[in-house]
Amino acid sequence: MNRAFSPFVKSLFVTLLAVSAAASASEAAHGAAAKADPAKGAALYADGDAARGLPACVSCHGAAGNSTITVNPKLAGQHESYLYKQLVNFTTPERNQPVMTTFATMLSDAEKKDIAAYLAAQASKPGAAKNKDTVEIGKRIYRGGIAEKSIPACASCHGASGTGIPVQYPRLAGQHQDYTGAQLTLFRAGGRHNSPQMTTIANRMSDDEIKAVSDYIAGLK
């Protein structure tokens, strides 16, 4: 009986091996195809694509992602996964912003990944706190939160020096005061919906607290 079924079992075994090998090859090919290309991202960032009417990112976000326009974020050194997520979010109701939604919608998924990979590899230029009267308040909020308002320490998610945690939480160190303050205000007002945690936290913060912590963050290195 075992001999009678032996050819069949062997044939089935060979077939399973072939299917497994094919699946592995397909996964490998898919992984290779999905890998980001920072060089392509650099070209899009610096030059845009005139044929599609896509402007160069550098015009708003500065050379190598170091924006000098305080309402536009510095993107250099930001986590690749976070940058990609934001570009995707701009194409959904989670983060609708007239300018970025228009441009993000023009980018393919691969182009979003390419740009994110390029920016993540750039060195971020440091910023500086400007208001010496509130920097200690900002420091206390960032490092210890505000217990009586159930506001957690920013450092608990974004790190003591503002470097963040890849995939989960963005780098904040050196970010423009104006940009950070605007985003916290948007979270509080319901104008940005892509982080339930930040919406909850921002809803508990006053204007003065937002300004103080935003200024302190700008000086983190």
Side-chain angles (χ1 to χ4, degrees), residues 131-142 146 149 151 154 177 180-182 184-185 188 201-217:
N131 192 337
K132 63 180 181 180
D133 296 327
T134 65
V135 71
E136 283 302 317
I137 297 172
K139 180 179 179 179
R140 286 199 297 272
I141 295 171
Y142 189 88
I146 306 175
K149 298 175 75 172
I151 295 174
C154 310
Q177 289 93 333
T180 300
L184 286 170
T185 302
R188 188 178 64 183
I201 293 167
N203 272 323
R204 299 169 182 167
M205 298 182 74
S206 68
D207 287 343
D208 287 342
E209 290 163 348
I210 286 175
K211 289 178 182 177
V213 80
S214 297
D215 190 50
Y216 176 73
I217 284 169

Side-chain angles (χ1 to χ4, degrees), residues 51-71:
R52 286 184 286 169
L54 180 68
C57 312
V58 68
S59 60
C60 290
H61 294 287
N66 282 290
S67 166
T68 57
I69 304 172
T70 62
V71 294

Side-chain angles (χ1 to χ4, degrees), residues 166-200:
V167 181
Q168 293 178 293
Y169 306 111
R171 172 188 172 87
L172 300 180
Q175 189 57 266
H176 295 306
Q177 289 93 333
D178 290 345
Y179 179 75
T180 300
Q183 295 312 299
L184 286 170
T185 302
L186 273 176
F187 278 124
R188 188 178 64 183
R192 181 172 169 179
H193 311 281
N194 65 340
S195 175
Q197 304 98 313
M198 286 308 307
T199 296
T200 299

Side-chain angles (χ1 to χ4, degrees), residues 8-207:
F8 171 75
V9 172
K10 288 181 179 178
S11 176
L12 180 60
F13 181 67
V14 170
T15 300
L16 288 172
L17 283 177
V19 170
S20 177
S24 296
S26 176
E27 288 177 5
H30 178 74
K35 187 175 181 181
D37 187 333
K40 289 182 178 179
L44 271 174
Y45 186 88
D47 304 322
D49 186 346
R52 286 184 286 169
L54 180 68
C57 312
V58 68
S59 60
C60 290
H61 294 287
N66 282 290
S67 166
T68 57
I69 304 172
T70 62
V71 294
N72 295 335
K74 295 180 182 179
L75 302 177
Q78 186 58 267
H79 304 306
E80 182 176 343
S81 55
Y82 181 79
L83 289 168
Y84 170 70
K85 178 182 181 294
Q86 299 312 301
L87 285 171
V88 172
N89 286 168
F90 278 125
T91 67
T92 74
E94 289 186 320
R95 193 175 181 187
N96 191 290
Q97 200 272 351
V99 175
M100 283 306 305
T101 292
T102 298
F103 299 150
T105 302
M106 297 170 70
L107 295 169
S108 69
D109 193 64
E111 288 171 336
K112 290 180 176 69
K113 291 177 179 176
D114 293 343
I115 291 172
Y118 164 69
L119 287 168
Q122 306 311 302
S124 179
K125 293 182 179 179
K130 298 176 181 178
N131 192 337
K132 63 180 181 180
D133 296 327
T134 65
V135 71
E136 283 302 317
I137 297 172
K139 180 179 179 179
R140 286 199 297 272
I141 295 171
Y142 189 88
R143 294 189 174 184
I146 306 175
E148 61 271 24
K149 298 175 75 172
S150 297
I151 295 174
C154 310
S156 62
C157 290
H158 296 283
S161 57
T163 54
I165 301 174
V167 181
Q168 293 178 293
Y169 306 111
R171 172 188 172 87
L172 300 180
Q175 189 57 266
H176 295 306
Q177 289 93 333
D178 290 345
Y179 179 75
T180 300
Q183 295 312 299
L184 286 170
T185 302
L186 273 176
F187 278 124
R188 188 178 64 183
R192 181 172 169 179
H193 311 281
N194 65 340
S195 175
Q197 304 98 313
M198 286 308 307
T199 296
T200 299
I201 293 167
N203 272 323
R204 299 169 182 167
M205 298 182 74
S206 68
D207 287 343

